[in-house]
Amino acid sequence: MTEEHLTTDQLGDRVWAILAATAEGRDADVDELLVALPWPDLITVVCGLGALATGAVAGHAGIDHTTARGRVADAARGLLADRIAQRERPDQ
């Protein structure tokens, strides 16, 4: 980690760089893009990635942009609950 904080524009660039590296399966590059960030900047980048994901999921599901955040959050919580329930079920 470093103590040098990035500008808002630089953090936005980092979000897009992580998206590109992830899409290409370059995990080592993602690590390099995250490892040196101070905690507040890391949180900003993670929130930026979450915002991109929310928009992508909303668009894929045909959810109106004005209600996207709440509906995507509800859907994500439902999927998370399903995943947990599946892990907690005894093998059949």
Side-chain angles (χ1 to χ4, degrees):
M1 257 190 220
T2 180
E3 293 301 317
E4 180 182 342
H5 291 276
L6 300 178
T7 67
T8 301
D9 286 340
Q10 290 170 321
L11 290 169
D13 293 347
R14 186 73 52 110
V15 169
W16 286 106
I18 291 168
L19 180 64
T22 301
E24 295 171 344
R26 295 184 286 118
D27 296 350
D29 290 345
V30 173
D31 181 63
E32 288 298 316
L33 290 164
L34 293 173
V35 72
L37 291 177
W39 187 253
D41 287 353
L42 182 61
I43 297 302
T44 299
V45 168
V46 169
C47 288
L49 290 166
L52 283 176
T54 298
V57 169
H60 179 71
I63 298 172
D64 177 41
H65 182 69
T66 58
T67 60
R69 292 181 118 180
R71 292 190 56 199
V72 170
D74 290 343
R77 279 191 288 275
L79 288 170
L80 179 58
D82 290 346
R83 289 172 55 91
I84 292 168
Q86 286 177 1
R87 283 195 304 271
E88 292 175 351
R89 286 188 202 130
D91 290 342
Q92 297 177 8

